């Protein structure tokens, strides 16, 4: 491999267990690293834990443990979870390791010897939770990042001459616009630096849990200088073997949450410039993961454990949901309802269903061998359209993914899934399979080859996102180990004729309605078993009371339903893309409805009131979590809302305002 790629997660603070907010960053980096490896790029993927600082010292004291005991336990939880999730990191760095300590002290000496560190005294406000010096704050003021009350600190410190790097940093941002992404974060950083930089305290002398300052061990190195250095110490910086450092530094992508942009985009490049070292190529900040409209936070007690989702739906469900549902760079919402809906719609009914029925029909009609598509009369325009669409999706998916537009990339891939589903429905291979004439057999072979080849391409593209299921589908197609795939060479027509299928089995069993309740119960039990702060209890208590009152059957009058019953019905705004009459049924229309994140087939009994052509482009209300049912051999996935008027004819529910497609009705 001639090309190289180095990607890092932030290292995670070990004051509490991991949750899906930290899992999100790690999953994004893992998906990027997997794709780079599939493209033949020599890739190094780093993650780890941040284990020093006053907050850790206090947390350990509160737990009746030594700081090392606490960090050993929580760091093991992070590593264990990443291993369970199949995260393909190449190294897991701990800031309490000797190799890291040596590297940090080497970096300190380099910065000091270059004249950028001096001794002084600091008096001011400090946020222990964020490990942040709050310039200009007064005693009792809140931290501008987390809102907690700051503490007044007066101590002898070493200072870093950050003020000398204002113009150097602004030049860096101007010369390399790609250094900070997205643009909103870049603008924030530029504004902050332009407002003026003050020298930064880079040591503490009032506690001892940290890396000693070289030649002055009564001081420990400021936790952010310590922590940020992990990106080079993991590569061997400051050690006798710097092979990895020389090969992979500077990093191609350093992935972070938006709350630590200042540390990574101001302090980190300033430290590197002061040491005469290269700065990273790109620092990419994503948004927060929100739960119940608030940032997922250990102090609020509203975190969701990844283990809960892994136990009920598996790792691919969590990975797909986070990359598909959250627009990268923006804040995203998490709920168990949305997770299960996305899982059923896209994975169980989408990719999983396409794989099951395509491979099952090849097994049934061609003894489990990929059939030969007809080169002549049995080929139709629809076959060529699928092939052209697949090649277009390969190009679009790659371009979007490499621009961190993961949600859009997956939408494009699932567009091909929907197109093939429609292709199968229109060509009815199950009908062709019952016929024995030569033309029908040739047409059947063409339809199933086309479907299987499209399935192969989607499976290859989305492997970095849902690696477990795609590896199974790949083996079921008869292609062996997906790790041997050369993604850069992917194109239409590479599925060899006569390929013997593997054992065919469902990869995404549909989640029943009890999945949500099981996950909610597991989370409630997890919160009960784990200590939470009084702040978290204050947030959680009203919700628990409201839930109890709502679910009390005696408070609901006979003949009425409670709000919980109504909340089970999910309705969304859809736009009709295709409308046509169902053959042999006077009242039925087959509709293809765009719900924003997918296109659903809905069979509706409105043909007597609406002609197909007047419905195309119209926005309608759809019940989206209704169990599928078959009408005249067509599967209907949802119900269109309409009112019964005089004469029994329906009138569609509609909107006066311009409501966006996919909007949820409440």
């Amino acid at each position: 491999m001639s090309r190289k790629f180095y990607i890092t997660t932030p290292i995670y603070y070990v004051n509490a267990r991991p949750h899906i907010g930290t899992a999100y960053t790690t999953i994004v980096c893992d998906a990027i690293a997997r794709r780079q490896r599939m493209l033949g790029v020599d890739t190094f993927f780093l993650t780890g834990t941040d284990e020093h600082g006053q907050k850790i010292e206090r947390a350990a004291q509160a737990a009746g443990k030594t700081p090392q005991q606490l960090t050993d336990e929580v760091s093991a939880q992070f590593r264990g979870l990443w291993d369970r999730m199949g995260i393909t990191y190449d190294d897991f760095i701990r800031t309490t390791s000797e190799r890291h300590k040596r590297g940090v002290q080497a970096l300190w000496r380099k910065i000091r010897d270059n004249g950028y560190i001096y001794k002084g005294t600091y008096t001011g406000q400090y946020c222990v939770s964020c490990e942040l010096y709050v310039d200009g704050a007064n005693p009792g003021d809140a931290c501008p990042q987390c809102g907690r009350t700051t503490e007044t600190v007066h101590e002898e410190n070493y200072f870093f001459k950050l003020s000398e790097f204002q113009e150097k940093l602004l030049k860096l941002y101007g010369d390399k616009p790609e250094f900070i992404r997205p643009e909103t974060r870049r603008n924030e950083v530029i504004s902050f630096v332009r407002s003026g930089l003050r020298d930064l305290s880079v040591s503490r002398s009032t506690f001892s849990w940290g890396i000693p300052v070289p030649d002055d061990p009564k001081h420990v190195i400021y936790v952010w200088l310590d922590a940020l250095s992990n990106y080079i110490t993991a590569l061997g910086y400051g050690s006798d073997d710097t092979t990895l450092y020389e090969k992979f530094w500077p990093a191609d992508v350093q992935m972070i949450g938006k709350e630590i942009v200042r540390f990574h985009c101001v302090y980190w490049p300033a430290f590197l410039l002061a040491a005469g070292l290269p700065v990273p190529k790109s620092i990419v900040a994503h948004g927060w993961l929100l739960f119940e409209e608030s940032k997922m936070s250990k102090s609020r007690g509203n975190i969701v454990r990844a283990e809960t989702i892994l136990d009920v739906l598996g790792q691919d469900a969590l990975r797909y949901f986070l990359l598909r549902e959250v627009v990268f760079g923006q804040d995203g919402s998490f709920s168990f309802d949305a997770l299960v809906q996305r899982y059923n719609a896209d994975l169980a009914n989408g990719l999983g269903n396409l794989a099951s029925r395509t491979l099952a029909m090849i097994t049934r009609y061609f003894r489990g061998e990929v059939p030969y598509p007809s080169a002549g009369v049995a080929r139709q325009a629809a076959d060529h359209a699928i092939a052209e669409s697949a090649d277009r999706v390969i190009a679009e998916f790659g371009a979007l993914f490499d621009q961190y537009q993961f949600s859009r990339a997956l939408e494009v891939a699932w567009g091909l899934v929907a197109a093939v589903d429609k292709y199968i429905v229109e060509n009815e291979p199950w009908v062709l399979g019952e016929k024995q004439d030569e033309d029908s057999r040739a047409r059947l072979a063409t339809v199933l080859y086309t479907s299987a080849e499209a399935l192969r391409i989607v499976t290859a593209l989305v492997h970095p996102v849902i690696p477990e299921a795609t590896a199974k589908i790949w083996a079921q197609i008869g292609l062996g180990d997906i790790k041997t795939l050369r993604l850069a060479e992917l194109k239409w027509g590479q599925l060899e004729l006569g390929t013997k299928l593997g054992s065919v089995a469902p990869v995404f069993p549909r989640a029943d309605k009890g999945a949500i309740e099981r996950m909610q119960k597991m989370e409630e039990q997890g919160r009960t078993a784990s200590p939470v702060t009084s702040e978290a209890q204050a947030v959680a208590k009203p919700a628990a009371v409201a839930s109890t009152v709502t679910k009390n059957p005696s408070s609901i009058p006979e003949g009425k339903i409670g709000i919980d019953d109504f909340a089970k019905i999910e309705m969304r705004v859809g736009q009709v893309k295709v409308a046509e009459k169902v053959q042999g049924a006077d009242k039925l229309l087959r509709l293809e409805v765009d719900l924003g994140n997918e296109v659903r087939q809905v069979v509706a009994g409105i043909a007597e009131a609406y002609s197909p052509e007047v419905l195309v482009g119209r926005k309608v209300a759809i019940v989206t979590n209704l169990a599928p049912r078959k009408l005249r051999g067509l599967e209907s996935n949802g119900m269109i809302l309409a009112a019964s008027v005089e004469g029994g004819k329906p009138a569609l529910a509609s909107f006066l305002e311009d409501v966006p497609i996919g909007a949820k009705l409440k």
Side-chain angles (χ1 to χ4, degrees):
M1 301 182 198
S2 58
R3 293 181 294 157
K4 68 90 183 172
F5 184 82
Y6 179 31
I7 185 169
T8 68
T9 71
I11 52 174
Y12 301 109
Y13 216 43
V14 293
N15 61 322
R17 68 190 184 191
H19 55 83
I20 66 168
T22 47
Y24 174 58
T25 317
T26 312
I27 288 168
V28 168
C29 289
D30 184 65
I32 294 172
R34 285 175 180 270
R35 178 172 169 81
Q36 289 295 321
R37 295 189 192 106
M38 291 176 72
L39 291 168
V41 179
D42 190 359
T43 300
F44 196 90
F45 171 22
L46 175 69
T47 189
T49 45
D50 179 5
E51 304 178 16
H52 285 137
Q54 191 172 18
K55 182 162 60 171
I56 298 299
E57 188 175 70
R58 290 183 180 180
Q61 186 177 24
K65 300 174 181 178
T66 67
Q68 192 64 60
Q69 287 175 323
L70 177 66
T71 57
D72 286 346
E73 291 174 10
V74 183
S75 181
Q77 290 180 11
F78 275 94
R79 188 162 190 164
L81 178 59
W82 296 168
D83 289 344
R84 182 182 175 190
M85 291 172 60
I87 301 299
T88 59
Y89 57 85
D90 294 284
D91 196 0
F92 188 100
I93 185 75
R94 295 184 60 188
T95 60
T96 52
S97 65
E98 281 301 314
R99 60 170 174 155
H100 177 72
K101 175 182 175 180
R102 287 194 302 269
V104 171
Q105 291 180 328
L107 181 63
W108 174 281
R109 290 189 183 98
K110 190 73 171 175
I111 297 172
R112 180 196 64 192
D113 293 348
N114 286 347
Y116 291 108
I117 290 179
Y118 63 93
K119 185 179 275 190
T121 302
Y122 177 81
T123 300
Q125 298 308 113
Y126 188 80
C127 176
V128 175
S129 180
C130 297
E131 301 286 4
L132 173 69
Y133 292 96
V134 184
D135 292 334
N138 296 311
D141 283 355
C143 171
Q145 291 208 163
C146 70
R148 293 177 179 84
T149 302
T150 57
E151 298 182 11
T152 302
V153 173
H154 176 75
E155 60 185 345
E156 180 184 76
N157 293 144
Y158 283 92
F159 285 81
F160 171 69
K161 295 180 181 179
L162 183 62
S163 58
E164 293 192 15
F165 288 88
Q166 181 168 333
E167 295 307 318
K168 294 183 179 72
L169 289 171
L170 291 173
K171 186 176 187 303
L172 169 64
Y173 308 148
D175 291 347
K176 297 183 177 180
E178 73 283 358
F179 178 69
I180 305 173
R181 302 182 189 179
E183 188 72 14
T184 52
R185 305 298 163 221
R186 179 173 178 270
N187 292 337
E188 288 173 9
V189 171
I190 290 174
S191 177
F192 174 77
V193 174
R194 280 180 178 162
S195 68
L197 296 178
R198 299 172 61 182
D199 289 354
L200 176 69
S201 174
V202 287
S203 78
R204 300 294 305 275
S205 57
T206 53
F207 65 93
S208 60
W209 184 242
I211 296 174
V213 168
D215 308 316
D216 196 352
K218 75 174 184 179
H219 288 260
V220 295
I221 296 173
Y222 175 45
V223 66
W224 275 106
L225 175 53
D226 168 358
L228 290 164
S229 304
N230 89 91
Y231 304 125
I232 56 176
T233 64
L235 298 177
Y237 178 83
S239 73
D240 295 332
D241 183 2
T242 58
T243 304
L244 286 176
Y245 173 79
E246 291 164 6
K247 179 179 182 180
F248 285 106
W249 189 259
D252 295 271
V253 176
Q254 297 208 251
M255 189 72 64
I256 62 171
K258 67 180 183 180
E259 71 277 7
I260 52 176
V261 165
R262 183 191 305 179
F263 302 103
H264 283 78
C265 299
V266 180
Y267 301 167
W268 178 223
F271 295 151
L272 292 168
L273 291 170
L277 302 177
V279 300
K281 294 179 183 178
S282 182
I283 296 174
V284 182
H286 62 74
W288 289 335
L289 202 58
L290 307 178
F291 184 66
E292 297 173 347
E293 304 306 318
S294 297
K295 178 193 174 187
M296 211 168 285
S297 163
K298 290 164 285 197
S299 64
R300 288 190 177 96
N302 67 342
I303 64 172
V304 175
R305 298 174 303 148
E307 294 91 335
T308 295
I309 299 164
L310 300 181
D311 288 343
V312 177
L313 295 177
Q315 63 163 280
D316 282 352
L318 176 60
R319 293 173 67 100
Y320 180 80
F321 176 84
L322 292 177
L323 270 71
R324 177 63 182 87
E325 191 81 6
V326 178
V327 177
F328 186 80
Q330 300 178 18
D331 292 345
S333 295
F334 175 85
S335 72
F336 290 119
D337 298 66
L339 171 68
V340 170
Q341 180 194 347
R342 179 69 72 178
Y343 171 87
N344 280 333
D346 290 13
L347 298 180
N349 296 342
L351 180 62
N353 182 54
L354 175 63
S356 293
R357 64 176 177 172
T358 298
L359 301 180
M361 285 189 284
I362 292 175
T363 299
R364 178 179 178 183
Y365 299 122
F366 293 97
R367 298 181 180 178
E369 294 183 0
V370 174
Y372 289 70
S374 171
V377 67
R379 294 189 67 80
Q380 297 179 6
D383 311 326
H384 297 292
I386 293 293
E388 291 169 0
S389 177
D391 280 332
R392 185 172 62 253
V393 166
I394 292 171
E396 290 182 7
F397 183 94
L400 290 165
F401 200 96
D402 293 343
Q403 295 164 9
Y404 312 116
Q405 296 186 48
F406 309 114
S407 180
R408 183 76 185 96
L410 291 170
E411 183 181 2
V412 166
W414 258 257
L416 180 58
V417 172
V420 179
D421 276 336
K422 181 182 177 184
Y423 170 82
I424 291 173
V425 169
E426 291 176 343
N427 285 276
E428 299 182 317
W430 49 86
V431 175
L432 294 170
E434 300 305 314
K435 300 177 181 179
Q436 299 302 316
D437 61 283
E438 187 174 329
D439 287 349
S440 295
R441 292 291 294 175
R443 182 68 194 141
L444 176 62
T446 298
V447 171
L448 292 183
Y449 178 87
T450 301
S451 302
E453 175 63 341
L455 172 65
R456 181 188 72 91
I457 285 173
V458 172
T459 301
L461 290 175
V462 303
H463 177 64
V465 178
I466 47 174
E468 192 173 57
T470 49
K472 292 177 182 178
I473 294 173
W474 197 258
Q476 289 182 23
I477 299 174
L479 300 174
D481 188 351
I482 198 169
K483 292 179 183 177
T484 63
L485 168 68
R486 302 174 71 89
L487 190 59
E489 299 173 4
L490 184 68
K491 63 180 181 180
W492 183 268
Q494 294 172 324
L495 180 58
E496 293 185 7
L497 309 177
T499 297
K500 183 69 176 176
L501 300 187
S503 177
V504 178
V507 291
F508 290 115
R510 186 174 174 84
D512 59 36
K513 62 183 180 181
I516 297 172
E517 286 80 0
R518 288 198 300 277
M519 288 188 286
Q520 290 173 334
K521 185 175 181 180
M522 290 168 70
E523 278 304 294
E524 290 170 3
Q525 292 172 341
R527 292 191 188 106
T528 302
S530 302
V532 294
T533 65
S534 58
E535 178 188 356
Q537 291 171 329
V539 170
K541 187 175 180 181
V545 172
S547 176
T548 303
V549 172
T550 302
K551 293 181 178 180
N552 182 1
S554 63
S555 66
I556 302 173
E558 186 177 351
K560 304 291 184 180
I561 64 172
I563 189 65
D564 283 356
D565 295 315
F566 180 76
K568 293 176 183 178
I569 304 171
E570 182 171 281
M571 297 176 285
R572 290 187 181 269
V573 177
Q575 186 174 46
V576 179
K577 294 296 185 182
V578 175
E580 58 188 17
K581 289 188 175 181
V582 176
Q583 189 173 359
D586 294 337
K587 295 183 179 181
L588 298 181
L589 292 180
R590 187 188 76 84
L591 310 176
E592 291 179 20
V593 183
D594 183 1
L595 294 171
N597 56 13
E598 61 175 313
V599 175
R600 292 259 192 114
Q601 175 174 277
V602 177
V603 181
I606 57 174
E608 292 182 329
Y610 297 93
S611 59
E613 58 271 14
V614 303
L615 291 174
V616 175
R618 181 162 179 167
K619 290 182 178 178
V620 292
I622 298 288
V623 178
T624 55
N625 61 344
L626 195 66
R629 64 170 181 161
K630 284 202 171 182
L631 298 168
R632 294 293 180 118
L634 298 173
E635 186 173 84
S636 181
N637 287 287
M639 181 176 72
I640 193 167
L641 292 185
S644 295
V645 296
E646 189 176 352
K649 287 188 176 182
L652 291 176
S654 192
F655 308 95
L656 296 176
E657 293 82 5
D658 185 17
V659 184
I661 297 170
K664 185 180 287 188
L665 278 66
K666 296 182 178 180

